[in-house]
């Protein structure tokens, strides 16, 4: 059974995908003692001094509602340290499950990480902006049922939700995209439905802030404000008509990781 990521619900832009059970999801590849990590270690960049009073992270793993997972570990319902990439991108059963994103901690700057997303092919579906569950349905009813499922394409992190903004910064158009695994990059299966298309994206530089929680959290939305401020403080430019969300984890099971992203406006590969 395929279940939803934390980008959609990313689907909370988490999305639905494969189900392996609560025990597998909570214990898989946990290599860090997250409670004893510093901010910089947990988020993999240096935080700006004047940002630290803008939020609070409770990393003991206790949910607001006291709910516990099947293996007696707590659900992470409150904001917490985001899951590190080292604990996400290697699946003990399937091997690497992330494309080769080049990550840099933006040394010399504060408040964000810098990532190069390589050129590659993605499966893409439009989001119905009038649908309250538009992100989830774009993944589940379009990408999964009409493309990934029929072609038996394995899941590759992350799920990316791209938002187009108007001049007031309001989201007016959205689409969800998933990277095609390496075995399908050169010759992806043809989509039989207009709702799902294959796009080749150019190499892109993004600036981001990872977040331990869910895309509907008010604190996650705040990450875009802090991110733009930090990028501006660094003297860098970003596109003001677009923002992305990337989801890496199973929705509401264990430690979460979603990322608020803006795109470098002058990057040339």
């Amino acid at each position: 059974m395929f279940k939803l990521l934390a980008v959609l619900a990313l689907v909370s832009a988490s999305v639905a995908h494969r189900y392996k059970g609560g025990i597998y999801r909570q214990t898989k590849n946990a290599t860090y003692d997250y409670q004893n990590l510093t901010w910089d270690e947990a988020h993999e960049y240096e935080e700006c001094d004047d940002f630290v009073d803008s939020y609070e992270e409770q990393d003991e793993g206790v949910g607001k509602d006291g709910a516990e997972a099947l293996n007696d570990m707590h659900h992470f319902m409150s904001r917490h340290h985001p899951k590190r990439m080292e604990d996400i991108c290697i699946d003990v059963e399937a091997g690497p499950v992330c494309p080769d994103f080049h990550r840099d901690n933006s040394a010399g700057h504060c408040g964000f990480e810098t990532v190069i997303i390589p050129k590659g092919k993605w499966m893409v579906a439009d989001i119905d902006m009038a649908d309250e569950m538009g992100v989830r349905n774009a993944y589940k009813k379009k990408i999964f049922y009409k493309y990934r499922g029929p072609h038996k394409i394995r899941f590759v992190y992350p799920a990316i939700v791209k938002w187009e903004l108007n001049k007031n910064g309001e989201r007016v158009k959205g689409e969800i995209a998933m990277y095609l695994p390496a075995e399908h990059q050169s010759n992806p299966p043809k989509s039989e439905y207009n709702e799902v298309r294959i796009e080749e994206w150019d190499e892109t530089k993004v600036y981001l802030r990872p977040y331990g929680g869910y895309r509907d959290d008010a604190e996650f939305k705040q990450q875009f404000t802090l991110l733009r401020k930090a990028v501006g403080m660094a003297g860098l430019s970003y596109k003001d008509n677009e923002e992305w969300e990337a989801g890496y984890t199973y929705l509401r099971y264990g430690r979460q990781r979603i990322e608020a992203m803006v795109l470098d406006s002058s990057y040339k590969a």
Side-chain angles (χ1 to χ4, degrees), residues 150-169:
H151 294 292
K152 296 180 172 59
I153 296 175
R154 65 188 177 97
F155 191 93
V156 175
Y157 299 107
I160 287 185
V161 177
K162 301 171 65 174
W163 298 110
E164 181 180 318
L165 310 178
N166 63 18
K167 62 181 180 180
N168 297 318

Side-chain angles (χ1 to χ4, degrees), residues 88-143:
I88 293 173
C89 286
I90 297 296
D91 187 312
V92 293
E93 297 178 0
V97 292
C98 297
D100 186 20
F101 290 9
H102 174 72
R103 292 181 172 265
D104 185 279
N105 65 1
S106 306
H109 303 299
C110 66
F112 64 93
E113 186 177 353
T114 301
V115 174
I116 302 295
I117 299 176
K119 182 177 181 178
K121 293 183 175 70
W122 298 69
M123 43 191 139
V124 184
D126 291 330
I127 296 167
D128 182 352
M129 300 298 288
D131 181 359
E132 184 178 356
M133 299 295 290
V135 177
R136 175 190 172 104
N137 288 334
Y139 171 75
K140 188 173 183 180
K141 295 182 178 180
K142 297 178 182 179
I143 285 182

Side-chain angles (χ1 to χ4, degrees), residues 125-131 134-135 161-176 197 215 228 240-245:
D126 291 330
I127 296 167
D128 182 352
M129 300 298 288
D131 181 359
V135 177
V161 177
K162 301 171 65 174
W163 298 110
E164 181 180 318
L165 310 178
N166 63 18
K167 62 181 180 180
N168 297 318
E170 299 166 330
R171 294 173 173 178
V172 294
K173 182 180 178 180
E175 54 188 38
I176 183 170
R197 58 191 179 274
R215 64 180 299 267
R228 290 185 173 95
D240 58 8
N241 64 342
E242 195 169 354
E243 63 188 20
W244 294 7
E245 301 171 356

Side-chain angles (χ1 to χ4, degrees), residues 18-32:
R18 63 185 177 181
Y19 178 84
K20 288 181 179 289
I23 295 177
Y24 176 88
R25 287 183 292 191
Q26 288 278 13
T27 60
K28 178 171 80 73
N29 298 336
T31 59
Y32 289 91

